[in-house]
Amino acid sequence: MSVFLQQTVNGLSLGSAYAVFAVGFTLLFGVLNVLNLAQGAVFMVGAFTGLELVRLVELPLPLAFLVAMVTAGAVSVLTQVAVFGPLERRGGHRWMGLIASLAVARLLVAIAQEVFGTQVLRYPSEPWMEASWTIAGVQIQGLQLIVLATALLVMAALAVLLRATQTGRAIRTMAFNPNVARLVGVPVQRMTLLTYFIAGALAGAAGVQLGVLYNAVSPFMGETILLKGLTVLILGGLGHVPGAALAGLLLGLTEVYSVGYLSSSFRDAVGFGLVFIILLVRPHGLFGLTTRQRA
Amino acid sequence: MSEWLASYENVVALVLLNGILGIAAYLMLIVNRFSLATGGLMAIGAYVSVLATMNFGVPFALTLVLGGVTAAVMALLLGAPVLRIEGDYFALATLAFTEIVRIIALNWESVTGGALGIVGIPTETQIWQLALALAALTAAVFAVHRSAAGRVLAAIRGDEMAAAAIGIDVARARLLTFVASGAICGVAGAFAGHLNFFIGPSDFGMIRSIDAIVYAVFGGLGGVLGPVVGALVYTVLPEMLRFSAQAREILLSLVIILAVLFMPRGLISLNLPLRRWLPRRRGQRGKLAAGQGVAAE
Amino acid sequence: MTALLEISHVAKRFNGVVALDGVSARVGRATITAVIGPNGSGKTSLLNVVTGFYEADRGSVRFNGTEIAGRPPHWIARLGLARTFQHIRLFEGFSVFDNVHVAAERRGTSHARRRAEQALEVVGLAAVGRQQADALPYGHKRRLEIARALATEPEILILDEPAAGMNATEKIELGELLFTIRDLGKTILLVEHDMDLVMGISDYVIALNFGCTLAAGAPAAVRQDPQVIEAYLGRPEAADA
């Protein structure tokens, strides 16, 4: 039983970081109908920014976390302004957008390799990270608590923004229908940039969280999280933000359980297995319409 | 000539192999499906053929057939349920497939050698075989484009609902295309498996699937030569950028971004002399309506 | 009158919104039957159920005695029901001829070119076969869609607002074309907004409102039906998009 509880704690902290990343990824898909495969690279940028601020500038981690979010958000906006925006204005096909986002990811990874090398770097250890408490046979690390808390904080802030503000209403209107949004006077261009910023900032936050949690930062760390993001995107129902948050937690838990009860090597297979089953059972996703209804 | 070939043999082999994969991806793109199964199907072809060679001493030619058939059957099993899925979901389902194949290859150590892969494979694949395969495939796809079956595919690309309304079984046509694409991936995998002494799970991951699509889109979806030209440029370009090994990745990604921005119809849309041998995009023959560089969804 | 197409108690709803609420109708062989009704009355939904693009929740559609409800669109098309769309759907990048040719090939590749040319001749587009379909004027695109449907050699031709966007002359020509097609022995079922056209060409008119049959019969009778008048006065044509 205590093994189960232990794994639940581990799974929740891991899953909450997945959820933060996936919520941003899902937001882009839901609001702008963009499948941005550069999101994993933006996550990596966030992880490196946080790391360098802590290591070189010796900023306290919470501050570094915020700056990393802003930086990752800014990089995300930059990709929109420089690549995705112009491509959309030229009427590029959706597939072109996918290719462009892959190229952007590759570019960011290449730059990171150039600047930081290919070695795995680590966040310097701090006393509170090492701290741990044992409650009823379950060991809870300070680190895990912090990751879980920041994740909840970030997602709560997003929920407030989306649900309780004018800006949030505007973004949700765009998700509903961009033409309607334009008609009712939503500043579509500005909201697009804001959505990219939020998605980037969430990716950056997850980057620092997982960088600290795994104690490993490398230029290639974005690839794995991108696959997780895609998994969660489907599990949560394409474009459904609360669904993504839940599915992120669920994925973290299933991964940890499968390592605990099956074998560590099948951790990644579990997520994809779930995706596969969901797609087969609900071939149009959880909220999809069929072509035959679109005539 | 032979000296030149020797020093660039690997690049030439890669160009040809990638051309074949590019066509496999192209076939799915022209029926409006973004398939990320290429890497997984290729892995199946590679492992099946290599295991046949290593464990049972099957002749090389037969292992090619074996790889192609196994991957085609896999495509049929995968495609029958998954092809019903709409656009983006289909891409994600095929992505999941490729990842699952990779994870199995990574963990089924007794058969696949796990992360260490299989070593000491006899290198049977010859440049001329790859060239012949690519030429035959190009000719075959070209012939299909000009046939009634090709017009069916072009109609699906042109408007799925209108295609259904004139009696085209869109789902069946797409499944057959996926099976054909799977067979091509399988044969390519068998070639790739016997190209070097070694295969491992990381040789056939997502990157393979994505690169194959890049060849096709980058080259242009206007005709079968698009993916071939795309594979040529996209494979040779990194070699040409060797002078600055460090900045190679950066330059390469910038080139792709610029290409996507300024050549939305792919390299084929450049006004090259080559173009005279390509199918007309518009006008009298217009039959190859796949000629519309960018398809409507 | 033997009914070629027999629609019985067809119902269809979308997320709780009723599109069709038990519609029944009969379409006689070699006649022109028009479905009229205000916007949102279920006309296009009815065509989509008949041609397999929507699956009915209940009810039956029989064609020549064969049950076709719930069958996929391509199966229904092969049986001999061809349709056009409210928003023109031509094959992108195809020439005028190729649009029709690929349809003619559904009935076998032998003589497909000749059959395609014949279909183009019926609608009067034989001379522009080599042009790109995208470049045709609007009225011609509508005719091309009809030619493409004809090339599949249907027994019944189903047209979704064929006169939409046409000017007065084009509408008259369309009416003549539909007569020609009927006189070739084909049955025509159409949804149309233009009352003058409908009353001028139809043998039989079915009026729908809120997914129910309001009236059915000869054009003159339907036009004078008080319920039909009310439905239309309540929602003037100007409100239709």
Side-chain angles (χ1 to χ4, degrees), chain C residues 4 31 39 42 47 51 61 77-78 84 89 114 127 132 134 141 147 162 166 172-173 178 189 213 231 239:
Chain C
L4 178 65
T31 62
N39 249 18
L47 293 200
T51 52
V61 181
R78 288 175 189 177
T84 67
R89 288 181 168 272
R114 210 185 64 215
Q132 276 297 304
D134 308 341
K141 282 186 184 168
M166 285 188 170
I172 292 169
E173 287 167 358
L178 296 187
L189 172 66
T213 316

Side-chain angles (χ1 to χ4, degrees), chain A residues 110-164:
Chain A
I111 292 173
Q113 266 180 279
E114 199 65 10
V115 178
F116 304 105
T118 51
Q119 269 180 317
V120 173
L121 302 176
R122 299 180 193 294
Y123 273 83
S125 160
E126 288 185 35
W128 59 263
M129 293 186 186
E130 308 288 331
S132 72
W133 302 271
T134 308
I135 303 166
V138 179
Q139 195 194 32
I140 301 173
Q141 292 174 287
L143 193 58
Q144 294 178 321
L145 281 182
I146 294 289
V147 168
L148 191 58
T150 49
L152 292 178
L153 205 66
V154 166
M155 286 191 285
L158 181 70
V160 170
L161 175 75
L162 287 180
R163 290 280 145 196

Side-chain angles (χ1 to χ4, degrees), chain A residues 289 292-295, chain C residues 48 52-54 71:
Chain A
L289 285 174
R292 290 177 74 184
Q293 290 182 336
R294 270 201 258 123
Chain C
N48 282 336
F53 283 84
Y54 289 171
R71 293 290 193 160

Side-chain angles (χ1 to χ4, degrees), chain C residues 13-240:
Chain C
R13 46 174 73 217
F14 296 104
N15 299 324
V17 179
V18 176
L20 295 170
D21 195 7
V23 172
S24 299
R26 293 158 62 91
V27 177
R29 208 177 284 275
T31 62
I32 297 180
T33 303
V35 180
I36 62 167
N39 249 18
S41 57
K43 306 181 300 282
T44 294
S45 295
L46 184 64
L47 293 200
N48 282 336
V49 165
V50 170
T51 52
F53 283 84
Y54 289 171
E55 211 165 320
D57 298 331
R58 56 190 171 77
S60 114
V61 181
R62 286 179 163 272
F63 176 73
N64 261 339
T66 309
E67 180 62 51
I68 61 172
R71 293 290 193 160
H74 67 89
W75 192 91
I76 292 172
R78 288 175 189 177
L79 202 63
L81 296 90
R83 71 169 291 176
T84 67
F85 294 88
Q86 193 174 343
H87 303 287
I88 299 174
R89 288 181 168 272
L90 295 172
F91 296 127
E92 207 180 294
F94 275 47
S95 71
V96 169
F97 176 79
D98 286 339
N99 260 288
V100 183
H101 184 210
V102 70
E105 281 183 329
R106 296 309 97 220
R107 295 290 174 206
T109 43
S110 67
H111 308 300
R113 300 189 73 87
R114 210 185 64 215
R115 285 182 283 123
E117 271 155 21
Q118 283 168 353
L120 282 177
E121 262 162 40
V122 171
V123 303
L125 290 178
V128 294
R130 297 189 143 196
Q131 278 185 24
Q132 276 297 304
D134 308 341
L136 285 183
Y138 185 81
H140 285 187
K141 282 186 184 168
R142 288 235 170 255
R143 282 172 172 265
L144 177 54
E145 251 201 321
I146 294 175
R148 186 178 64 193
L150 280 178
T152 65
E153 299 180 359
E155 279 187 68
I156 182 166
L157 190 62
I158 297 175
L159 308 173
D160 198 351
E161 297 197 20
M166 285 188 170
N167 62 35
T169 325
E170 285 173 330
K171 280 178 186 170
I172 292 169
E173 287 167 358
L174 175 70
E176 284 164 2
L177 172 62
L178 296 187
F179 279 139
T180 311
I181 293 169
R182 182 192 59 186
D183 294 344
L184 290 171
K186 309 275 184 204
T187 306
I188 296 174
L189 172 66
L190 76 158
V191 157
E192 187 46 65
H193 267 301
D194 188 287
M195 278 309 127
D196 292 338
L197 181 68
V198 166
M199 295 303 162
I201 64 169
S202 307
D203 301 302
Y204 197 76
V205 176
I206 298 159
L208 295 184
N209 199 19
F210 298 116
C212 298
T213 316
L214 215 53
V222 171
R223 181 159 41 187
Q224 269 145 41
D225 189 290
Q227 278 188 297
V228 173
I229 294 170
E230 194 195 314
Y232 270 90
L233 286 179
R235 284 172 186 230
E237 279 248 276
D240 295 336

